[in-house]
Amino acid sequence: MDFNLSKDFHPFETTVLQFRSEFLNFFNHANLKNPDYSVPDITSGSFCKIFGTTNAGRQIQFALKLSF
C-alpha cells in the first residue's frame, strides 16, 4: 500500500508552492517471491522454498514544487 500527502501554499496571488511526501510500501509488508520449483528432487531441502522478497522496505520521498 502506497500513501501520499500533499499541501499547496499560495505565498503570492499567482504563485503556488506544493509540498509532497510519498510513502512506498507504507506498512513495510514483505512481498514474497514465488517458490523455487527448479530443484527436481521433491525430497531436497530447498524444494519450493521462498528465497527472498520482490521489493525493498519502506521508501519515503519528499518533493517541493514552485509554480508561477
Side-chain angles (χ1 to χ4, degrees), residues 39-52:
V39 179
D41 185 15
I42 295 176
T43 61
S44 174
S46 63
F47 182 74
C48 289
K49 279 194 175 178
I50 298 174
F51 290 105

Side-chain angles (χ1 to χ4, degrees), residues 46-65:
S46 63
F47 182 74
C48 289
K49 279 194 175 178
I50 298 174
F51 290 105
T53 60
T54 59
N55 62 348
R58 181 183 302 123
Q59 297 178 0
I60 302 173
Q61 300 177 11
F62 297 104
L64 194 60
K65 178 179 164 184

